[in-house]
């Protein structure tokens, strides 16, 4: 079953409960573990954001937390087994590549609660699994719109990590946002799209960036975990523009990063873990967070964005986000819907 939660109200309430709980006994016997994907916990992207959520849980209720890094997808199940031996109340697995390991482990360990980020099981979800997914396409639509408005060459580039529905969602939203800007403002901006093949090959990302730049791209966006650093480094070295992903990343390219798309993974992990610690059964749920829930978006008009972006353009992008949140603008999720959306603009 699919449930939508308004993060702002839920998190406000749970923050109050967390403070009250910590104040009452000074700590908690709740324990959570996190298994990263290949990018590692310091990817300055969604693994890091996930860990920040558990750090917040530790600080608010005194929970015991830990993480294990997965250098390859094959490391996920052994890491999950290690946390199982530690009697963790919930074992979080980060990234859609964890769907099969989570399913396998949840079937053989029915009393253990598992959480997964960036996956939607639908009706096939197991009763001891909570799946958290995000409408990344809504944030990347705003970024694509802004990239098109900001480009001086009429060419922008998108690179994804691996070709899976989650990353396709990033791509589709970005391409749709560019198409929308073209339609509304009479532009003719082209989007170059290419996939890296993994989430840690910065050298490949740099090579793709070089190729895209040679074709005229002056704005790059990589939804590729740690590999995206290759695109950021290339943008800095060649003085073109770049868009950050998942976290506010302007410190990585203060003179070149026009915006970052935000994905508040840590907030969702904190929210779900806290509710479990308070006795709520969170298993068997597919949770979906988007702009309306305050879970995705773009960075505010400050820092490098304020230095590089026309304030009117940023305001227009925020207005588009508000339309999406209200349901007045529907952003495509997959390539089939993207085609329909682009045709509707003709």
């Amino acid at each position: 079953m699919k449930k939508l939660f308004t993060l702002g109200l839920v998190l406000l309430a749970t923050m109050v409960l967390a403070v009250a709980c910590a104040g009452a006994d000074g700590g908690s016997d709740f324990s959570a573990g996190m298994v990263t994907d290949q990018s590692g916990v310091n990817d300055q992207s969604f693994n890091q954001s996930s860990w920040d959520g558990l750090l917040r849980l530790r600080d608010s209720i005194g929970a015991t937390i830990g993480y294990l890094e997965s250098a390859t997808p094959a490391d996920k199940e052994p890491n999950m087994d290690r946390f199982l031996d530690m009697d963790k109340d919930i074992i979080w697995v980060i990234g859609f590549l964890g769907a099969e390991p989570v399913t396998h482990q949840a079937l053989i360990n029915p009393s253990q609660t598992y959480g997964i980020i960036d996956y939607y099981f639908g009706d096939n979800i197991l009763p001891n699994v909570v799946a958290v997914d995000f409408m990344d396409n809504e944030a990347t639509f705003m970024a694509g719109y802004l990239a098109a408005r900001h480009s001086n060459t009429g060419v922008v580039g998108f690179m994804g990590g691996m070709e899976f529905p989650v990353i396709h969602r990033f791509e589709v939203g970005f391409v749709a946002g560019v198409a929308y800007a073209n339609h509304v403002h009479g532009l003719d901006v082209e989007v170059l799209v290419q996939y890296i093949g993994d989430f840690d090959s910065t050298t490949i990302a740099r090579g793709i960036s070089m190729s895209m730049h040679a074709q005229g791209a002056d704005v790059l966006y990589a939804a590729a975990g740690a590999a995206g650093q290759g695109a950021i480094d290339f943008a800095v070295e060649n003085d073109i523009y770049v868009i950050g992903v998942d976290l506010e990343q302007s410190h990585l390219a203060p003179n070149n990063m026009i915006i970052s798309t935000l994905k508040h993974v840590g907030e969702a992990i904190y929210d779900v873990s806290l509710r479990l610690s308070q006795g709520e059964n969170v298993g068997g749920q597919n949770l979906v967070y988007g702009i309306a829930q305050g879970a995705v978006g773009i960075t505010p008009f400050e820092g490098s964005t304020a230095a590089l972006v026309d304030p009117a353009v940023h305001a227009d992008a925020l207005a588009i986000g508000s339309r999406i949140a209200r349901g007045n603008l529907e952003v495509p999720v997959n390539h089939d819907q993207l085609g329909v959306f682009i045709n509707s603009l003709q």
Side-chain angles (χ1 to χ4, degrees), residues 19-312:
V19 172
C21 178
D25 59 14
S28 167
D29 59 1
F30 187 79
S31 182
M34 184 185 106
V35 176
T36 75
D37 77 349
Q38 293 162 256
S39 296
V41 74
N42 294 315
D43 64 352
Q44 301 188 82
S45 188
F46 82 136
N47 281 281
Q48 183 172 321
S49 176
S50 300
W51 180 238
D52 286 344
L54 288 187
L55 288 172
R56 182 179 169 201
L57 186 74
R58 179 199 64 188
D59 294 343
S60 63
I61 67 169
T64 301
I65 62 172
Y67 70 82
L68 294 170
E69 295 190 312
S70 304
T72 70
D75 294 332
K76 290 184 183 293
E77 286 210 52
N79 284 337
M80 294 164 71
D81 281 333
R82 289 175 64 187
F83 276 138
L84 185 69
D85 292 339
M86 297 178 198
D87 293 324
K88 297 295 183 183
D89 293 287
I90 185 168
I91 299 171
W92 283 101
V93 178
I94 310 305
F96 57 86
L97 292 175
E100 186 174 334
V102 164
T103 299
H104 180 245
Q105 290 287 316
L107 282 170
I108 63 178
N109 302 298
S111 62
Q112 172 66 52
T113 300
Y114 295 90
I116 184 169
I117 293 294
D118 269 351
Y119 201 80
Y120 183 84
F121 284 103
D123 293 336
N124 297 319
I125 194 164
L126 294 169
N128 57 328
V129 174
V130 55
V132 180
D133 209 2
F134 296 84
M135 298 300 289
D136 308 287
N137 55 313
E138 295 181 345
T140 62
F141 186 95
M142 300 166 70
Y145 171 87
L146 193 146
R149 293 284 306 273
H150 197 75
S151 175
N152 295 313
T153 63
V155 183
V156 300
F158 172 90
M159 63 192 84
M162 298 175 70
E163 293 212 46
F164 282 87
V166 171
I167 307 302
H168 286 160
R169 206 159 55 219
F170 276 86
E171 173 203 336
V172 164
F174 188 79
V175 173
V178 171
Y180 185 78
N182 285 342
H183 172 73
V184 172
H185 300 285
L187 304 175
D188 188 24
V189 178
E190 177 187 2
V191 186
L192 305 176
V193 175
Q194 192 167 342
Y195 280 77
I196 296 166
D198 60 41
F199 293 98
D200 50 18
S201 295
T202 56
T203 301
I204 296 176
R206 180 187 290 270
I208 293 173
S209 300
M210 183 183 300
S211 174
M212 288 181 170
H213 184 45
Q215 297 174 70
D218 63 344
V219 182
L220 300 176
Y221 178 49
Q229 187 65 49
I232 294 172
D233 290 343
F234 180 87
V236 171
E237 293 163 10
N238 292 272
D239 198 25
I240 60 175
Y241 298 111
V242 67
I243 295 172
V245 65
D246 291 341
L247 289 175
E248 202 285 315
Q249 294 185 320
S250 62
H251 62 285
L252 300 176
N255 299 315
N256 302 83
M257 191 164 288
I258 56 175
I259 204 79
S260 294
T261 57
L262 300 176
K263 180 174 181 173
H264 299 298
V265 181
E267 299 288 1
I269 283 182
Y270 173 82
D271 172 36
V272 174
S273 299
L274 184 62
R275 288 192 281 128
L276 180 63
S277 77
Q278 295 166 348
E280 181 179 337
N281 179 15
V282 298
Q285 299 184 58
N286 295 284
L287 309 181
V288 182
Y289 299 104
I291 289 179
Q293 290 74 41
V296 301
I298 59 173
T299 43
F301 192 72
E302 59 188 31
S304 66
T305 297
L308 298 170
V309 178
D310 183 331

